[in-house]
Amino acid sequence: MGTKTPSEADILRPIGATSKTYFALVAIAGLAFVLFLIGWAYQLQEGLIVTGLGDWGSGGGVTWGVYIGAFIWWVGIAHGGIILSAAVRLLGMDRYMPVARLAELLTIAGLSAAGFYIIVHLGRPDRMVTSVVGHYHITVHSSPLVWDVTVITAYFVLTATYLSLTLRYDVTRLRDQLPDRLDPIYRLMTIGYTEKEDEIVERMVWWLALAIIIMAPLLLHGGVIPWLFAVLPSYPTWFGGVQGPQFLTIALTSAISGVILLSLAFRRAYDWDHIITDDIFRGLLLWLGFFCLLFLWLQLQQNITGLFTAPVDLTIAATARATNPIYLTSMSLVFLTLSYIFAQAIRPALFTKRRAAVSGIAVLIATLLEKVLFVVEGFLEPTFNIYAAVPGVYIPSLIEIASITGTIGMVGLFFLLVAKVFPVVELHAIEHLRDDHE
């Protein structure tokens, strides 16, 4: 752990320092995103038929595949990110304050990627206006799927408000050290600011954090989105009350993994060993292990329920899932990560930042695989006799696979851009660390 005293200059370094590595990362992330945009343009021209999606049941395929699976994955990362940040503020977990804003930014980026998937999967972007926005007063009462749009929009506004309130404090106090070329942005961010609002904003942020903690299991990734699957009795592997807590644990494991990777990247790029310390990574790994354990336990409950003297349709669907190599790979990655976290908790010498990064990547891959398979298997094993003799087949197309790398590139570009405009570590975190050093 670094012994250097943290300063304002440290958190301003990403804004002023630009290296060849930075431009290389921009090029890689931009290329990944552009390649997907090219594939999406081809899909818009030829229709969704160019993907691996087909007519459900009688077409032998599925109408939802990678697009919806990755949508749930990004929403989970976003929801888990803001829950992590809210817990830091609400529960006084000052230890993790240096990574709280990274979690908030991950929420904005994840929600943007998830919203993008909704537009892509509609087939025609204009349907957002003609079918959703234009008839919202009707669809919100008759289409559960419209609640996806509602929740994501509300959550985006809530998070953006939450983030902007804390940024006003930082931008005002660091304004003399920020680049003049971005002055219009900073003026917009601090309209009407006075120091008298600091105490009010602190209370507002606390109440927003409380609202987020309460809303997460009731409305967000523990509520509306799993509810859309859990209330459909014709899909054995979807139906049931376990989906809410299952979705929530997957969201938190994914978000913590994302924060670990982002924290490592910024720490290495800007020599933030004394700000994002090893102690933070050890703590994040322990939380990751806890939610991995819940994740595996809930999966066990689903498998036991589906495989032990269950109705025929549920037994068939559960067997198909439990024997699928993709599912086994996903569960193995989470189990191996949990095993490592448990081992390094007992023997701290096993901890390294590289192993923490590998753990994060493994969990992100595992949760993505699980979510895509969850969506696909539900369609391939429905409780409809009319499709009993139709073999279900789904192979993701290159366009769908490119959507994953493309949205990862989009999120990467978001962080590369934001880091050049705003501090990604809160000034309050630096002040707190400095007090500890003194």
Side-chain angles (χ1 to χ4, degrees), residues 64 71 118 132 136 138-152 219 223-232:
W64 292 355
F71 159 78
I118 292 177
V132 179
Y136 182 80
I138 299 172
T139 54
V140 74
H141 295 295
S142 59
S143 174
L145 293 176
V146 174
W147 278 96
D148 269 349
V149 180
T150 305
V151 168
I152 288 177
L219 181 62
V224 169
I225 294 178
W227 166 69
L228 297 178
F229 293 92
V231 297
L232 301 174

Side-chain angles (χ1 to χ4, degrees), residues 232-297:
L232 301 174
S234 297
Y235 303 85
T237 54
W238 291 359
F239 181 75
V242 75
Q243 298 306 343
Q246 181 70 279
F247 273 47
L248 192 59
T249 56
I250 293 175
L252 289 165
T253 54
S254 301
I256 293 172
S257 298
V259 170
I260 287 174
L261 294 177
L262 285 170
S263 301
L264 281 168
F266 277 98
R267 168 174 157 146
R268 180 173 180 179
Y270 300 109
D271 297 323
W272 282 353
D273 298 43
H274 57 304
I275 296 175
I276 305 177
T277 62
D278 287 0
D279 187 51
I280 291 176
F281 291 112
R282 292 180 188 275
L284 288 174
L285 275 177
L286 289 176
W287 280 111
L288 178 61
F290 173 71
F291 288 113
C292 281
L293 182 62
L294 287 180
F295 174 27
L296 291 175
W297 178 67

Side-chain angles (χ1 to χ4, degrees), residues 70-347:
F71 159 78
I72 302 171
W73 184 64
W74 278 119
V75 171
I77 291 174
H79 288 176
I82 197 63
I83 291 170
L84 174 61
S85 176
V88 170
R89 300 184 188 283
L90 191 65
L91 304 178
M93 301 166 65
D94 294 338
R95 172 187 188 181
Y96 302 103
M97 193 177 291
V99 300
R101 182 164 290 166
L102 287 174
E104 295 162 18
L105 291 170
L106 183 60
T107 296
I108 296 290
L111 288 174
S112 300
F116 187 48
Y117 265 114
I118 292 177
I119 297 173
V120 170
H121 196 267
L122 280 174
R124 284 172 38 191
D126 61 291
R127 287 175 177 160
M128 280 295 295
V129 177
T130 59
S131 301
V132 179
V133 178
H135 298 85
Y136 182 80
H137 62 290
I138 299 172
T139 54
V140 74
H141 295 295
S142 59
S143 174
L145 293 176
V146 174
W147 278 96
D148 269 349
V149 180
T150 305
V151 168
I152 288 177
T153 303
Y155 206 32
F156 188 93
V157 172
L158 183 67
T159 304
T161 303
Y162 183 89
L163 179 60
S164 62
L165 288 174
T166 60
L167 278 172
R168 283 168 66 88
Y169 177 91
D170 291 6
V171 170
T172 301
R173 283 155 179 77
L174 298 171
R175 181 63 194 91
D176 292 340
Q177 304 174 62
L178 293 170
D180 292 335
R181 67 181 183 278
L182 299 174
D183 187 60
I185 297 176
Y186 300 137
R187 285 180 180 273
L188 181 63
M189 286 292 303
T190 56
I191 288 177
Y193 176 85
T194 65
E195 291 188 7
K196 294 180 180 179
E197 78 176 45
D198 288 344
E199 185 178 348
I200 299 173
V201 166
E202 187 175 348
R203 289 200 301 269
M204 288 177 63
V205 170
W206 190 91
W207 281 107
L208 283 171
L210 178 63
I212 288 167
I213 293 294
I214 294 173
M215 289 170 63
L218 299 179
L219 181 62
L220 303 175
H221 210 67
V224 169
I225 294 178
W227 166 69
L228 297 178
F229 293 92
V231 297
L232 301 174
S234 297
Y235 303 85
T237 54
W238 291 359
F239 181 75
V242 75
Q243 298 306 343
Q246 181 70 279
F247 273 47
L248 192 59
T249 56
I250 293 175
L252 289 165
T253 54
S254 301
I256 293 172
S257 298
V259 170
I260 287 174
L261 294 177
L262 285 170
S263 301
L264 281 168
F266 277 98
R267 168 174 157 146
R268 180 173 180 179
Y270 300 109
D271 297 323
W272 282 353
D273 298 43
H274 57 304
I275 296 175
I276 305 177
T277 62
D278 287 0
D279 187 51
I280 291 176
F281 291 112
R282 292 180 188 275
L284 288 174
L285 275 177
L286 289 176
W287 280 111
L288 178 61
F290 173 71
F291 288 113
C292 281
L293 182 62
L294 287 180
F295 174 27
L296 291 175
W297 178 67
L298 289 169
Q299 290 286 340
L300 177 63
Q301 299 306 308
Q302 284 185 300
N303 288 327
I304 290 175
T305 303
L307 297 173
F308 183 74
T309 63
V312 174
D313 58 346
L314 180 57
T315 300
I316 292 173
T319 302
R321 178 190 61 210
T323 58
N324 192 302
I326 295 176
Y327 182 78
L328 295 175
T329 299
S330 175
M331 296 303 106
S332 297
L333 287 172
V334 176
F335 178 77
L336 290 173
T337 299
L338 178 61
S339 299
Y340 163 68
I341 294 172
F342 180 75
Q344 67 91 35
I346 296 176
R347 187 180 178 188

